[in-house]
Amino acid sequence: MFSPFLLRQTPLSRFALFSVSTAIAVALASGLCPMAFAQKKASPPTTGAESNLARGKYIVEGVAVCGQCHTPRDSNGNLDRTRWLQGSPVPYLPAKPDMDWPLNAPRIGGTPPASDADMIKLLTTGIWTNGNRLRLPMPQFRMERSDAEAVVSYLRSSGPKQ
Ligand code: HEC
């Protein structure tokens, strides 16, 4: 039969009660204190430039897939990462014969082929340095300015500088 009186009598159970209450106090302090929680979750700080580069990489590699046209392929048809964004024969043919179809998607990695302002204009409006649109299959991008800036920083960081 349970009796609080009896429990208090034996040194062993007194110790057990003490350790249980200490454990609860420690658990409450570490689990419920917002500061302790925040410290556990905190990730290493990143600079604005790093997150801009990461965003540019994500857009170029994962969304706009610039490399599908602007990176040459190896003999198995896989993109050649050693020549990433260094220009490539256009891998697509038009559905109807088109004398004006470009044969080449030029190099865009490393030093970009135009000033940052011109690159951003292309990516936000679709207009190139000659005042015209580029030919298909180059997509007509309408990016947000901040996305275009992130893409240009990433292009600058990828491939040899020229
Ligand atoms: C589906 C294929 C394709 C994709 C995807 C593509 N491009 Fe292009 N790009 C081309 C082709 C083809 C040209 C050449 C167009 C021409 O000569 O009129 C070109 C031209 C360009 C040029 C002009 C370069 C110069 O020196 O004249 C830039 C800059 C460019 N692309 C950037 C990009 C970027 C940045 C991306 C991704 C955000 C991208 N392209 C995605 C096919 C593509």
Side-chain angles (χ1 to χ4, degrees), residues 9-44:
Q9 293 314 297
T10 66
L12 189 64
S13 56
R14 224 178 295 147
F15 174 73
L17 272 180
F18 172 76
S19 18
V20 166
S21 51
T22 312
I24 289 171
V26 168
L28 281 178
S30 60
L32 296 180
C33 168
M35 280 309 289
F37 192 66
Q39 276 167 9
K40 256 186 273 164
K41 285 277 172 186
S43 53

Short mmCIF file of all heavy atoms in Angstrom, two decimals, residues 9-44:
data_model
loop_
_atom_site.label_atom_id
_atom_site.label_comp_id
_atom_site.label_asym_id
_atom_site.label_seq_id
_atom_site.Cartn_x
_atom_site.Cartn_y
_atom_site.Cartn_z
N GLN A 9 10.40 8.14 4.87
CA GLN A 9 11.23 7.54 5.92
C GLN A 9 12.53 6.96 5.41
O GLN A 9 13.52 7.01 6.10
CB GLN A 9 10.43 6.45 6.66
CG GLN A 9 9.26 6.99 7.45
CD GLN A 9 9.64 8.20 8.28
OE1 GLN A 9 10.48 8.11 9.18
NE2 GLN A 9 9.06 9.36 7.98
N THR A 10 12.56 6.38 4.21
CA THR A 10 13.78 5.67 3.79
C THR A 10 14.70 6.61 3.02
O THR A 10 14.25 7.38 2.16
CB THR A 10 13.41 4.48 2.87
OG1 THR A 10 12.87 5.03 1.68
CG2 THR A 10 12.41 3.55 3.51
N PRO A 11 15.97 6.59 3.34
CA PRO A 11 16.93 7.48 2.64
C PRO A 11 16.93 7.23 1.14
O PRO A 11 17.06 8.16 0.36
CB PRO A 11 18.28 7.09 3.25
CG PRO A 11 17.99 6.23 4.41
CD PRO A 11 16.59 5.70 4.29
N LEU A 12 16.75 5.97 0.71
CA LEU A 12 16.82 5.65 -0.71
C LEU A 12 15.71 6.36 -1.46
O LEU A 12 15.93 7.00 -2.50
CB LEU A 12 16.71 4.13 -0.90
CG LEU A 12 16.98 3.67 -2.32
CD1 LEU A 12 18.43 4.00 -2.70
CD2 LEU A 12 16.72 2.18 -2.46
N SER A 13 14.46 6.29 -0.90
CA SER A 13 13.34 6.91 -1.62
C SER A 13 13.46 8.43 -1.58
O SER A 13 13.06 9.11 -2.51
CB SER A 13 12.01 6.45 -1.05
OG SER A 13 11.96 6.73 0.31
N ARG A 14 14.08 8.97 -0.51
CA ARG A 14 14.27 10.42 -0.47
C ARG A 14 15.20 10.84 -1.62
O ARG A 14 14.98 11.80 -2.32
CB ARG A 14 14.88 10.83 0.88
CG ARG A 14 14.22 12.05 1.44
CD ARG A 14 14.79 12.44 2.77
NE ARG A 14 14.55 11.46 3.82
CZ ARG A 14 15.39 11.23 4.82
NH1 ARG A 14 16.52 11.87 4.90
NH2 ARG A 14 15.10 10.35 5.75
N PHE A 15 16.22 10.03 -1.83
CA PHE A 15 17.17 10.32 -2.90
C PHE A 15 16.47 10.22 -4.26
O PHE A 15 16.64 11.07 -5.14
CB PHE A 15 18.35 9.33 -2.83
CG PHE A 15 19.29 9.48 -3.98
CD1 PHE A 15 20.15 10.58 -4.04
CD2 PHE A 15 19.30 8.56 -5.02
CE1 PHE A 15 21.01 10.72 -5.11
CE2 PHE A 15 20.15 8.71 -6.08
CZ PHE A 15 21.02 9.79 -6.13
N ALA A 16 15.60 9.17 -4.38
CA ALA A 16 14.89 8.98 -5.65
C ALA A 16 14.00 10.19 -5.94
O ALA A 16 13.99 10.71 -7.05
CB ALA A 16 14.05 7.71 -5.58
N LEU A 17 13.27 10.67 -4.91
CA LEU A 17 12.40 11.82 -5.10
C LEU A 17 13.21 13.04 -5.52
O LEU A 17 12.86 13.78 -6.42
CB LEU A 17 11.66 12.15 -3.79
CG LEU A 17 10.36 11.41 -3.59
CD1 LEU A 17 9.73 11.83 -2.25
CD2 LEU A 17 9.39 11.69 -4.73
N PHE A 18 14.38 13.19 -4.85
CA PHE A 18 15.24 14.34 -5.15
C PHE A 18 15.70 14.30 -6.61
O PHE A 18 15.60 15.27 -7.35
CB PHE A 18 16.45 14.35 -4.21
CG PHE A 18 17.48 15.38 -4.58
CD1 PHE A 18 17.26 16.73 -4.29
CD2 PHE A 18 18.65 15.01 -5.25
CE1 PHE A 18 18.19 17.68 -4.64
CE2 PHE A 18 19.58 15.97 -5.60
CZ PHE A 18 19.35 17.30 -5.29
N SER A 19 16.16 13.08 -7.07
CA SER A 19 16.67 13.04 -8.44
C SER A 19 15.56 13.23 -9.45
O SER A 19 15.78 13.88 -10.48
CB SER A 19 17.45 11.76 -8.73
OG SER A 19 17.16 10.80 -7.81
N VAL A 20 14.36 12.71 -9.18
CA VAL A 20 13.26 12.91 -10.14
C VAL A 20 12.93 14.39 -10.25
O VAL A 20 12.82 14.94 -11.35
CB VAL A 20 12.02 12.10 -9.70
CG1 VAL A 20 10.79 12.55 -10.48
CG2 VAL A 20 12.25 10.63 -9.92
N SER A 21 12.85 15.08 -9.09
CA SER A 21 12.48 16.49 -9.18
C SER A 21 13.59 17.30 -9.83
O SER A 21 13.33 18.22 -10.60
CB SER A 21 12.13 17.06 -7.80
OG SER A 21 13.17 16.75 -6.92
N THR A 22 14.86 16.94 -9.59
CA THR A 22 15.96 17.65 -10.26
C THR A 22 15.87 17.44 -11.77
O THR A 22 16.00 18.39 -12.55
CB THR A 22 17.33 17.12 -9.77
OG1 THR A 22 17.29 17.08 -8.37
CG2 THR A 22 18.46 18.00 -10.24
N ALA A 23 15.61 16.20 -12.18
CA ALA A 23 15.53 15.91 -13.61
C ALA A 23 14.42 16.72 -14.26
O ALA A 23 14.59 17.28 -15.34
CB ALA A 23 15.29 14.41 -13.82
N ILE A 24 13.27 16.82 -13.57
CA ILE A 24 12.15 17.59 -14.13
C ILE A 24 12.54 19.06 -14.26
O ILE A 24 12.31 19.70 -15.29
CB ILE A 24 10.89 17.43 -13.26
CG1 ILE A 24 10.34 16.01 -13.43
CG2 ILE A 24 9.81 18.45 -13.65
CD1 ILE A 24 9.24 15.64 -12.46
N ALA A 25 13.24 19.58 -13.23
CA ALA A 25 13.63 20.99 -13.26
C ALA A 25 14.58 21.25 -14.42
O ALA A 25 14.43 22.21 -15.17
CB ALA A 25 14.29 21.37 -11.94
N VAL A 26 15.57 20.35 -14.62
CA VAL A 26 16.55 20.54 -15.70
C VAL A 26 15.83 20.47 -17.05
O VAL A 26 16.05 21.30 -17.94
CB VAL A 26 17.66 19.47 -15.61
CG1 VAL A 26 18.51 19.47 -16.87
CG2 VAL A 26 18.52 19.74 -14.38
N ALA A 27 14.92 19.48 -17.18
CA ALA A 27 14.22 19.32 -18.45
C ALA A 27 13.39 20.56 -18.76
O ALA A 27 13.38 21.05 -19.89
CB ALA A 27 13.31 18.08 -18.39
N LEU A 28 12.72 21.08 -17.73
CA LEU A 28 11.89 22.27 -17.95
C LEU A 28 12.76 23.45 -18.37
O LEU A 28 12.44 24.17 -19.32
CB LEU A 28 11.13 22.63 -16.67
CG LEU A 28 9.89 21.78 -16.39
CD1 LEU A 28 9.25 22.19 -15.06
CD2 LEU A 28 8.88 21.92 -17.52
N ALA A 29 13.90 23.61 -17.65
CA ALA A 29 14.75 24.76 -17.92
C ALA A 29 15.29 24.70 -19.34
O ALA A 29 15.26 25.68 -20.08
CB ALA A 29 15.90 24.81 -16.92
N SER A 30 15.76 23.50 -19.79
CA SER A 30 16.40 23.46 -21.10
C SER A 30 15.35 23.39 -22.22
O SER A 30 15.56 23.95 -23.29
CB SER A 30 17.34 22.26 -21.20
OG SER A 30 16.58 21.09 -20.99
N GLY A 31 14.25 22.72 -21.96
CA GLY A 31 13.25 22.55 -23.02
C GLY A 31 12.35 23.74 -23.20
O GLY A 31 11.97 24.09 -24.31
N LEU A 32 12.01 24.42 -22.10
CA LEU A 32 11.01 25.48 -22.21
C LEU A 32 11.61 26.87 -22.28
O LEU A 32 10.95 27.80 -22.67
CB LEU A 32 10.04 25.41 -21.03
CG LEU A 32 9.21 24.13 -20.97
CD1 LEU A 32 8.27 24.16 -19.78
CD2 LEU A 32 8.41 23.93 -22.25
N CYS A 33 12.89 26.99 -21.94
CA CYS A 33 13.50 28.32 -21.99
C CYS A 33 13.75 28.70 -23.46
O CYS A 33 14.45 27.98 -24.16
CB CYS A 33 14.82 28.31 -21.22
SG CYS A 33 15.78 29.78 -21.54
N PRO A 34 13.16 29.77 -23.93
CA PRO A 34 13.29 30.13 -25.35
C PRO A 34 14.74 30.35 -25.77
O PRO A 34 15.13 30.03 -26.88
CB PRO A 34 12.51 31.44 -25.49
CG PRO A 34 11.70 31.57 -24.24
CD PRO A 34 12.33 30.73 -23.20
N MET A 35 15.58 30.88 -24.87
CA MET A 35 16.97 31.14 -25.24
C MET A 35 17.70 29.84 -25.54
O MET A 35 18.42 29.74 -26.53
CB MET A 35 17.69 31.89 -24.10
CG MET A 35 17.42 33.36 -24.06
SD MET A 35 17.67 34.14 -25.66
CE MET A 35 19.45 34.04 -25.77
N ALA A 36 17.49 28.83 -24.65
CA ALA A 36 18.17 27.55 -24.85
C ALA A 36 17.74 26.96 -26.19
O ALA A 36 18.54 26.43 -26.95
CB ALA A 36 17.84 26.60 -23.72
N PHE A 37 16.45 27.07 -26.50
CA PHE A 37 15.90 26.54 -27.73
C PHE A 37 16.52 27.25 -28.93
O PHE A 37 17.02 26.64 -29.86
CB PHE A 37 14.38 26.76 -27.71
CG PHE A 37 13.66 26.00 -28.79
CD1 PHE A 37 13.62 24.62 -28.77
CD2 PHE A 37 13.02 26.68 -29.80
CE1 PHE A 37 12.96 23.91 -29.75
CE2 PHE A 37 12.36 25.99 -30.79
CZ PHE A 37 12.32 24.60 -30.77
N ALA A 38 16.57 28.59 -28.87
CA ALA A 38 17.09 29.38 -29.98
C ALA A 38 18.55 29.02 -30.24
O ALA A 38 18.97 28.89 -31.37
CB ALA A 38 16.96 30.86 -29.67
N GLN A 39 19.33 28.83 -29.15
CA GLN A 39 20.74 28.52 -29.35
C GLN A 39 20.94 27.19 -30.04
O GLN A 39 21.78 27.05 -30.90
CB GLN A 39 21.46 28.51 -28.01
CG GLN A 39 21.86 29.92 -27.58
CD GLN A 39 22.28 29.99 -26.14
OE1 GLN A 39 22.42 28.96 -25.49
NE2 GLN A 39 22.44 31.20 -25.64
N LYS A 40 20.09 26.20 -29.68
CA LYS A 40 20.22 24.89 -30.29
C LYS A 40 19.92 24.94 -31.79
O LYS A 40 20.54 24.28 -32.58
CB LYS A 40 19.26 23.91 -29.61
CG LYS A 40 19.96 22.97 -28.64
CD LYS A 40 19.01 21.94 -28.11
CE LYS A 40 18.28 22.44 -26.88
NZ LYS A 40 17.11 21.70 -26.49
N LYS A 41 18.92 25.77 -32.18
CA LYS A 41 18.47 25.80 -33.58
C LYS A 41 19.34 26.70 -34.46
O LYS A 41 19.27 26.61 -35.67
CB LYS A 41 17.02 26.33 -33.63
CG LYS A 41 16.00 25.31 -33.18
CD LYS A 41 15.64 24.38 -34.31
CE LYS A 41 14.77 23.25 -33.81
NZ LYS A 41 14.50 22.25 -34.81
N ALA A 42 20.12 27.60 -33.86
CA ALA A 42 20.81 28.62 -34.66
C ALA A 42 21.78 27.97 -35.65
O ALA A 42 22.52 27.07 -35.30
CB ALA A 42 21.57 29.56 -33.74
N SER A 43 21.75 28.44 -36.94
CA SER A 43 22.68 27.93 -37.93
C SER A 43 23.79 28.95 -38.10
O SER A 43 23.63 30.10 -37.72
CB SER A 43 21.95 27.70 -39.25
OG SER A 43 21.27 28.87 -39.61
N PRO A 44 24.94 28.53 -38.68
CA PRO A 44 26.04 29.48 -38.81
C PRO A 44 25.62 30.67 -39.66
O PRO A 44 24.88 30.50 -40.63
CB PRO A 44 27.14 28.66 -39.51
CG PRO A 44 26.51 27.40 -39.96
CD PRO A 44 25.23 27.23 -39.22
#
